């Protein structure tokens, strides 16, 4: 039985826009397309996992931050924060649409050496120039605000508590998906099996689905998350995006902290934040951090005892007495070139559009990226925020726009 809102087969044989992948990026693109007054076309969203049990969106930690190393990423998340806070109004004031907010406990980056301290200072200058509220803190200033940290190895911290912290990402995703459907986008439970190119190779003419259906298209959007490279390869395009596993644990503290815990990025590579009710969420990448199969969700059960818990107790001594309650694995769609998004049309297969490679930033960036891609498809240009630096051309040229603030 299919989840509500999904069809088992496309209702038509041709669509103006076919979006491959219906998680947060595909749904955001569909929502903004169907809201553009200059767009009166048809939209088909093809989703292989209609229950959304194994997509990256379902395993996200639902955080928002402004602390990036590039101005464009700061502005992308600024729009994301604005969109979240005004979601109710943007959905027409529907009483069934929740009023969302951001729980602004902030992110706290901790530098244990002067090299990373200089990176934090450089990032701070970029962030402040873009209007973010980032502050640099000495160890004494950190201790005055957050006396529970052990800071003997810390030389500098960076924090922002304005539009930075946790938000209800599941609610945002749900409303984008519902809104797109209500405005006419069709969601089908199926999988793209092949893309048919025109004889010139300059455009995609049709999408063949795993069910056997053939759907002609005006343009195709690759919103396939960790499977993005597989979809791109159907057109002969090389996209350096691969699944990288990320682990998350929830734990309960015997003695909870008296105040909210910022999302703390420890020099060990472990990060931890407030979760509410005396519980906390922490995460880390495996070592080595290698590509995995997009269906691989196996946990490294030894990692908690051997690496994560010791790092937590070292940084916050009260966390020596904690109890893990549950855990899960998810995936980053990692852009190997520069850890930044790839968005917009391919320079030669002109109706094949990317919205890929978010490297762990996807949920918070979805509103700006969905809006931008819709503008490109409908108007042939970005109108609100120029996302052209993240175009595919830099991939071919090997010209990275390096994002240093990747967790």
């Amino acid at each position: 039985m299919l989840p509500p809102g999904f069809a088992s087969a496309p209702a038509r044989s041709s669509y103006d826009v076919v979006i491959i992948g219906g998680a947060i990026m595909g749904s955001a693109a569909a929502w903004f397309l169907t809201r553009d007054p200059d767009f009166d076309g048809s939209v088909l969203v093809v989703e292989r996992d209609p229950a959304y049990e194994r997509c990256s969106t379902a395993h996200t930690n639902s955080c928002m931050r402004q602390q990036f190393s590039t101005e464009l990423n700061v502005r992308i998340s600024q729009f994301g924060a604005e969109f979240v806070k005004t979601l109710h109004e943007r959905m027409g004031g529907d009483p069934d649409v929740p009023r969302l907010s951001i729980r602004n406990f902030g992110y706290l980056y901790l530098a244990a050496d002067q090299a990373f301290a200089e990176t934090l200072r450089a990032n701070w200058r970029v962030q402040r120039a873009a209007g973010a509220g980032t502050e640099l803190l000495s160890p004494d200033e950190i201790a005055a605000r957050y006396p529970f940290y052990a800071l003997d190895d810390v030389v500098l911290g960076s924090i922002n508590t304005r539009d930075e912290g946790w938000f209800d990402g599941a609610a945002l995703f749900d409303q984008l998906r519902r809104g797109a459907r209500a405005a006419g986008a069709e969601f089908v439970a199926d999988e793209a099996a092949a893309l048919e190119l025109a004889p010139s190779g300059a455009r995609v003419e049709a999408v063949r689905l795993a069910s056997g259906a053939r759907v002609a298209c005006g343009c195709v959007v690759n919103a396939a998350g960790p499977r993005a490279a597989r979809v791109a390869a159907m057109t002969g395009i090389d996209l350096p995006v691969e699944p990288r596993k990320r682990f998350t644990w929830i734990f309960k503290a015997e003695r909870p902290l008296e105040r909210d815990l910022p999302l703390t990025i420890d020099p060990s590579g472990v990060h931890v934040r407030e979760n509410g009710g005396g519980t906390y969420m922490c995460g880390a990448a495996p070592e080595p951090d290698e590509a995995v199969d997009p269906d691989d969700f196996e946990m490294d059960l030894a990692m908690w005892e051997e690496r994560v818990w010791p790092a937590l107790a070292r940084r916050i001594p009260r966390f020596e007495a904690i109890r893990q309650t549950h855990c899960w694995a998810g995936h980053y769609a990692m852009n190997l070139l520069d850890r930044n998004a790839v968005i917009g049309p391919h320079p030669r297969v002109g109706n094949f559009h990317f919205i890929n490679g978010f490297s762990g930033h996807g949920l918070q960036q979805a509103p700006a990226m969905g809006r931008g891609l819709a503008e490109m498809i409908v108007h042939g240009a970005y109108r609100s925020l120029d996302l052209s630096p993240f175009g595919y051309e830099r991939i071919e040229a090997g010209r990275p726009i390096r994002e240093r603030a990747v967790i």
Side-chain angles (χ1 to χ4, degrees):
M1 183 176 177
L2 291 175
F6 274 91
S8 58
R12 306 166 52 154
S13 60
S14 178
Y15 293 83
D16 293 292
V17 181
V18 176
I19 300 173
I20 300 172
I24 189 66
M25 288 299 168
S27 291
W31 190 89
F32 278 98
L33 275 170
T34 56
R35 289 305 189 279
D36 192 311
D38 294 324
F39 180 76
D40 60 358
S42 54
V43 178
L44 177 68
V45 181
V46 180
E47 174 52 50
R48 66 186 301 278
D49 176 22
Y52 295 107
E53 292 176 338
R54 299 173 75 82
C55 65
S56 293
T57 303
H59 298 95
T60 178
N61 292 350
S62 295
C63 290
M64 178 76 67
R65 65 180 164 107
Q66 316 299 311
Q67 292 187 75
F68 288 92
S69 66
T70 56
E71 179 185 356
L72 184 51
N73 275 332
V74 177
R75 298 200 181 280
I76 286 168
S77 281
Q78 286 172 335
F79 177 69
E82 177 195 346
F83 191 90
V84 166
K85 294 187 297 184
T86 59
L87 181 71
H88 181 83
E89 291 75 20
R90 290 174 183 273
M91 298 290 177
D94 187 332
D96 292 331
V97 176
R99 295 183 182 274
L100 300 185
S101 61
I102 299 170
R103 189 172 173 187
N104 290 304
F105 45 65
Y107 278 55
L108 176 62
Y109 287 82
L110 298 175
D113 55 54
Q114 289 300 330
F116 189 54
E118 283 304 312
T119 296
L120 292 183
R121 292 186 183 100
N123 294 351
W124 172 81
R125 289 190 286 270
V126 170
Q127 295 153 18
R128 295 291 291 192
T134 311
E135 301 175 79
L136 296 176
L137 302 177
S138 69
D140 287 345
E141 289 170 324
I142 297 171
R145 296 190 192 188
Y146 306 102
F148 42 76
Y149 290 117
L151 298 168
D152 54 293
D153 62 334
V154 171
V155 298
L156 189 70
S158 173
I159 193 167
N160 170 34
T161 55
R162 189 173 73 216
D163 287 342
E164 190 161 292
W166 178 88
F167 71 101
D168 191 342
L172 173 66
F173 175 39
D174 184 57
Q175 293 303 320
L176 288 172
R177 192 172 69 252
R178 288 174 182 268
R181 288 201 307 257
E186 182 182 339
F187 281 64
V188 64
D190 212 325
E191 184 174 4
L195 300 179
E196 293 182 8
L197 292 176
S200 66
R203 61 181 288 106
V204 179
E205 291 190 332
V207 180
R208 287 201 174 271
L209 303 181
S211 62
R214 179 186 185 275
V215 180
C217 57
C219 71
V220 173
V221 174
N222 181 357
R227 289 178 167 79
R230 296 183 181 184
V231 172
M234 295 176 187
T235 66
I237 296 170
D238 180 28
L239 180 65
V241 173
E242 64 185 28
R244 294 290 184 88
K245 195 181 288 187
R246 292 295 182 268
F247 301 120
T248 300
W249 296 264
I250 304 294
F251 65 89
K252 190 172 183 63
E254 183 176 296
R255 290 195 304 138
L257 305 175
E258 289 79 13
R259 57 158 300 165
D260 280 352
L261 174 65
L263 195 153
T264 306
I265 301 93
D266 190 72
S268 67
V270 174
H271 58 86
V272 59
R273 70 163 172 85
E274 180 70 33
N275 196 55
T279 67
Y280 300 87
M281 175 183 286
C282 67
E287 294 179 345
D289 185 12
E290 299 175 327
V292 297
D293 188 274
D295 288 317
D296 178 2
F297 291 91
E298 184 178 356
M299 285 293 296
D300 180 345
L301 297 178
M303 192 171 167
W304 171 260
E305 295 280 350
E306 295 174 0
R307 180 180 161 207
V308 176
W309 191 356
L312 295 172
R314 165 74 180 83
R315 185 60 55 202
I316 303 174
R318 277 209 214 172
F319 285 172
E320 290 180 357
I322 58 178
R323 176 174 54 85
Q324 181 196 147
T325 59
H326 53 290
C327 60
W328 65 87
H331 296 130
Y332 279 7
M334 188 70 80
N335 178 355
L336 303 183
L337 177 69
D338 58 14
R339 311 308 195 250
N340 270 315
V342 183
I343 188 167
H346 188 268
R348 290 182 300 282
V349 187
N351 71 335
F352 183 84
H353 291 262
F354 303 92
I355 186 166
N356 306 118
F358 293 93
S359 306
H361 314 137
L363 191 72
Q364 63 185 294
Q365 294 191 331
M369 294 299 183
R371 178 184 66 175
L373 189 63
E375 290 171 350
M376 178 59 70
I377 290 172
V378 177
H379 306 286
Y382 299 117
R383 291 187 163 189
S384 302
L385 184 63
D386 184 10
L387 302 176
S388 57
F390 289 161
Y392 184 83
E393 290 83 355
R394 82 182 193 283
I395 304 294
E396 285 191 323
R399 189 178 63 249
I401 304 172
R402 190 74 63 190
E403 176 53 61
R404 295 187 298 271
V406 176
I407 299 172

